[in-house]
Each structure stands twice: as C-alpha cells, then as structure tokens.
Amino acid sequence: MRKLPAKLASQLYGAAELIAERGLDGTKIEDIAEATGIPKATIYYHLDGKNAVLEFLLGDLLDMIAGAVGVAVASEENARTRLEAAVQAQLGVMLEHPSLCRALVGDLGRATRLPELAAALRTAFYEPIEQLLAEGVSDGSLRQVADPGAVALSVFGAITLAGLSAAVEGPSADPSADAARLSAAVSELVLDGLATPGSRDQRRSEPL
Amino acid sequence: MRKLPAKLASQLYGAAELIAERGLDGTKIEDIAEATGIPKATIYYHLDGKNAVLEFLLGDLLDMIAGAVGVAVASEENARTRLEAAVQAQLGVMLEHPSLCRALVGDLGRATRLPELAAALRTAFYEPIEQLLAEGVSDGSLRQVADPGAVALSVFGAITLAGLSAAVEGPSADPSADAARLSAAVSELVLDGLATPGSRDQRRSEPL
DNA sequence: TCGTAGTTGTACTTCCAGTACAAACCATGA
DNA sequence: TCATGGTTTGTACTGGAAGTACAACTACGA
C-alpha cells in the first residue's frame, strides 16, 4: 500500500456513505469504483483490496479523533475540565463524520482484526482517557477508582455509544450544536453519576 | 427459517468460537459444517445461509441478556439498586459467553443490519435502562437528567464496552467473580460519577 | 405399507474479489 | 524532440466460496 495521492484520497470519501449503508460485504468493488469515480484497476493499483479502502477511511477518522482529543487533553485546566473537553472533542468529530462512524460500527470486527486500526483505535479513544483518569487523581479533580482500566473503558463506551447512535440517527442540520448537547449529557453522567445524594446512604459504604 | 431442532441448535454453538475468532467472512460454511458436525446441506435446509447462523447465535445471547436483565429489573428495590442489579446481570451473561460476545462485536454491523437483531438489541439493552431511569426519578433514587435517552444510551455503552473488552481478553477462570468486580466498577462510575466533591463547585451550577 | 419430513452427499451455478496485461497517458529531464 | 518510468485504465481471466438442485436415504406415524 503506497501513500495514496491526495486527489484519490478525497475521492475515496465518496465511498463512505455507501459502505456505511450496506457494510463492506454488501459493497462491491465495482460499486466503490462507480461511487468514487476511481476505476477498479486504479483502486487496485494503489490499495491492497477492499479492506484497505476501509482501513484508509477509518484510519483517517481515528486520526481526526485522536488529534481533537489530544488538543483537548493538552490544556492547562484540571483533569476534570479536560475530561469534559475530551468528551466534547470526540463527540464533535464523530457527529461531523456520521457516515464514517457508521462504517466504523458496521465493520468494527474487520477493523479490530486489522492490526493497525486496532492500534489507532486505542490511541484515539482509550489511552487519552486512561491518562486523564490518572492525572485527575493527582490534581484532585477526579476520584480515585478501584479499577481504572475498567472505568476508562466504560467512559470510552459511554462516549462512543452516544456518538455512534447519534451518527446512526442520520446527519443533523447542526452537528456542533448536537455535539454540545450530547456531550453535556455524557459529561453529566460521567462526572456526577446518576444517584441522588439521598439514595447514596442506602449503600454499604466502603471508602475507596 | 424454520425453528431449528434443539439438537442442531446446541451443535451450532460449536461455531461460535470460530466466528468469534475469524469473523463471519473469514469463516466458510464448510468450516462451520466441520466445526459443528452439521453437514452443509443440512445447515441450508434449516437456515437461510451464513447470516442466519450468526442471527441465531446472537439472538440467543440477546435473549439471555434480556432475560437476566428483566429479572434484575423486576425486583421490589428502588431503581438505583435495580440499576446495579441490571449492570451485574448483563455483565454476568456477557462474561459467561465470551465467544458469543466477541462474535457480536465482530459482526455488529451485520447484526444491526439484520432487523430482528436490532430489535432484540433494543429490548435486551436499551429499553430496560431507559425504563429504570424514569422510575428512578419517580422513586427519588436517581437524579433527573436533561436528556434521558442519551444518558440511557451512554449507560448502555459503559456496561457493554466493559463487558465486551473483558470478553475479548479471553475467557476467565471464574466468570462470575470477574462479573462482580467489573460490575462494581461500572456501577460506581454510573451511579457516583468521577468528579470529586471538591471539583464540583468549579462548575457553573445550574440545578436541573 | 405408504407418505411425509428430515438428512446428507455430490455436482452444479453464480457471483465477485483479485490478477494479468497491454495500451494509453503524462511528466521529467536530456 | 525523444526516451524513460511511473501512473491510469479497460478488458479479460482465474479462483474460491455461497448458495442451489436433486436424488438417495432414513425414520416415524397413520
């Protein structure tokens, strides 16, 4: 797989909608050729087959997310505030690229089986959150939890599912407003939880 | 698709590991035939192709989850406690059937494109949580949130991702202990959030 | 004993990913 | 101007796997 001229790369995005709709299986190479305007022979000249098309598209999405989250996480605020920013950043990118997201869910299996993508997935989503959790404990803005790995994963899940489902609902008129609304809801959950103060004492209290 | 004799159904589970490992694409019908001991012709006699195999397996998993969560949700406790029980129930089932879970992630795309599965997914995961959220507001054990739909989805995401990743880690020696540990972590997140009390006032306070 | 439903092997068709290859097409620089 | 080498593209082909057809066989109940 060579490094794909810019023009072709941009044309390739024309296949995202198609793949999101039908899945990669349901999409023939000829369909992709037609949708993108790149002839089949040319696709095969540059890419190692159908999977590589998906790999390219998703790699790009993941890079965008990793970039946006990276920026959000790098500020001078406390970890808690940066976590909110990260949530918003991730959801912002996701809602701006709904069909890439749909393609991602749809062919997640293939994606995680493609080793490079699995790694990109880790760096885009999971690692920044895990990092933040640790820093929040240091700066006192986030609680210490018993199993940080599991919690990071859950937070990741909470954000991602929310974004994914929004993406599946279909593209919205104002993605950034939606992202703001959604990320408020998700941050609220992740930071403050759902329990009422009153119900808290019904629990066997074990300080962590 | 007729209603599959019990013997064949049980044999079909022999394909779960295979599909989890390689994905449905990477698995030939002949492979499934060999792994399950059901000849290809017989598979086609009962099922409408490869997708139907997946549909059957995942439908079963989803039924199990829906069942377990349904029981958890039906108790007399307050909503908060039932939410904890639901988390534990879902994770319990997931960790007991890791390869089905792995197959589910891997071919989620196909799954959500299969309409019946999408519906099963909704009833297994999403609806009970949404329901619980509403009841928690009534009985005072859970907070009122601005966007219950989004929050339900996020909670679902938090639980599911945790379970999925545990399933991917490979089967454990003691699934129920793992489930207990994991669900404690997830419940902690979902109920109490991550913010420290101290950091809470740094926020523009708007009573919901 | 017959009929009906399931079981299975074998051979076939169809479809599509991926390959081969040759002809054009373009840039570069000599 | 021409030669060279990467790129582009059409066309035809190969191979493999999904799904179908069908006939022979089994088992069971009426």
Side-chain angles (χ1 to χ4, degrees):
Chain A
M1 206 170 105
R2 302 141 197 87
K3 54 207 151 299
L4 210 52
K7 187 188 170 192
L8 289 187
S10 79
Q11 282 179 282
L12 258 195
Y13 280 90
E17 182 67 27
L18 211 58
I19 294 175
E21 211 62 54
R22 313 186 196 163
L24 196 60
D25 296 335
T27 311
K28 290 178 270 198
I29 281 280
E30 309 274 11
D31 297 339
I32 295 177
E34 193 177 353
T36 59
I38 311 170
K40 173 176 152 175
T42 306
I43 295 176
Y44 275 106
Y45 181 77
H46 289 284
L47 298 170
D48 298 343
K50 233 162 77 157
N51 277 353
V53 174
L54 185 69
E55 194 174 341
F56 167 77
L57 291 175
L58 298 190
D60 230 50
L61 172 68
L62 262 18
D63 285 351
M64 286 188 278
I65 292 178
V69 170
V71 170
V73 160
S75 83
E76 292 300 320
E77 309 285 340
N78 67 13
R80 180 216 157 103
T81 307
R82 284 181 290 150
L83 180 54
E84 282 183 296
V87 170
Q88 168 130 26
Q90 174 169 334
L91 288 173
V93 175
M94 289 181 80
L95 293 201
E96 245 168 84
H97 302 277
S99 47
L100 285 180
C101 289
R102 285 158 61 209
L104 177 61
V105 225
D107 293 282
L108 191 80
R110 220 183 245 94
T112 52
R113 248 166 250 125
L114 265 30
E116 303 174 34
L117 271 188
L121 235 158
R122 253 194 99 75
T123 59
F125 287 104
Y126 178 69
E127 281 171 6
I129 295 173
E130 196 178 28
Q131 175 78 14
L132 225 38
L133 245 47
E135 291 175 15
V137 173
S138 308
D139 73 16
S141 62
L142 298 177
R143 288 194 302 117
Q144 171 92 262
V145 293
D147 184 345
V151 169
L153 219 29
S154 287
V155 170
F156 163 41
I159 303 171
T160 305
L161 249 279
L164 246 25
S165 116
V168 170
E169 299 302 332
S172 88
D174 185 350
S176 74
D178 282 2
R181 207 170 12 249
L182 240 195
S183 63
V186 174
S187 291
E188 186 189 5
L189 168 67
V190 165
L191 290 173
D192 299 335
L194 292 176
T196 51
S199 76
R200 198 153 305 202
D201 47 23
Q202 297 177 356
R203 223 177 153 209
R204 59 249 169 274
S205 62
E206 53 202 6
L208 296 169
Chain B
M1 206 170 107
R2 302 139 196 88
K3 52 206 152 298
L4 210 55
K7 185 187 172 192
L8 289 187
S10 80
Q11 280 178 285
L12 258 195
Y13 280 89
E17 182 66 29
L18 212 57
I19 294 176
E21 210 63 54
R22 314 186 195 162
L24 196 62
D25 297 334
T27 311
K28 290 178 271 196
I29 281 280
E30 309 274 10
D31 296 340
I32 295 177
E34 194 177 352
T36 59
I38 311 171
K40 174 175 151 175
T42 305
I43 295 177
Y44 275 107
Y45 180 78
H46 289 284
L47 298 170
D48 299 342
K50 232 159 79 153
N51 277 354
V53 174
L54 186 68
E55 195 174 339
F56 167 77
L57 290 175
L58 298 189
D60 229 51
L61 172 67
L62 261 19
D63 284 351
M64 285 189 278
I65 293 178
V69 170
V71 170
V73 161
S75 83
E76 291 299 320
E77 309 285 339
N78 67 12
R80 178 215 159 101
T81 307
R82 284 182 289 150
L83 181 54
E84 282 183 298
V87 169
Q88 168 129 27
Q90 174 169 335
L91 288 173
V93 175
M94 290 181 80
L95 294 202
E96 246 168 82
H97 302 277
S99 47
L100 286 179
C101 289
R102 285 157 63 210
L104 176 63
V105 225
D107 293 282
L108 190 79
R110 222 184 242 93
T112 52
R113 246 166 257 124
L114 265 31
E116 303 174 36
L117 270 187
L121 235 158
R122 255 195 97 76
T123 56
F125 287 105
Y126 178 69
E127 281 171 6
I129 295 172
E130 197 178 27
Q131 173 78 13
L132 225 38
L133 247 45
E135 292 175 13
V137 174
S138 309
D139 73 17
S141 62
L142 298 176
R143 287 195 303 117
Q144 171 92 260
V145 294
D147 185 344
V151 169
L153 220 28
S154 287
V155 170
F156 163 40
I159 303 171
T160 306
L161 248 280
L164 245 25
S165 115
V168 170
E169 300 302 332
S172 87
D174 185 351
S176 74
D178 282 2
R181 209 171 11 251
L182 240 196
S183 62
V186 174
S187 291
E188 186 189 5
L189 167 68
V190 165
L191 290 174
D192 299 336
L194 292 176
T196 52
S199 76
R200 197 155 305 203
D201 46 24
Q202 297 176 359
R203 221 177 155 210
R204 59 246 170 276
S205 61
E206 52 203 6
L208 295 171

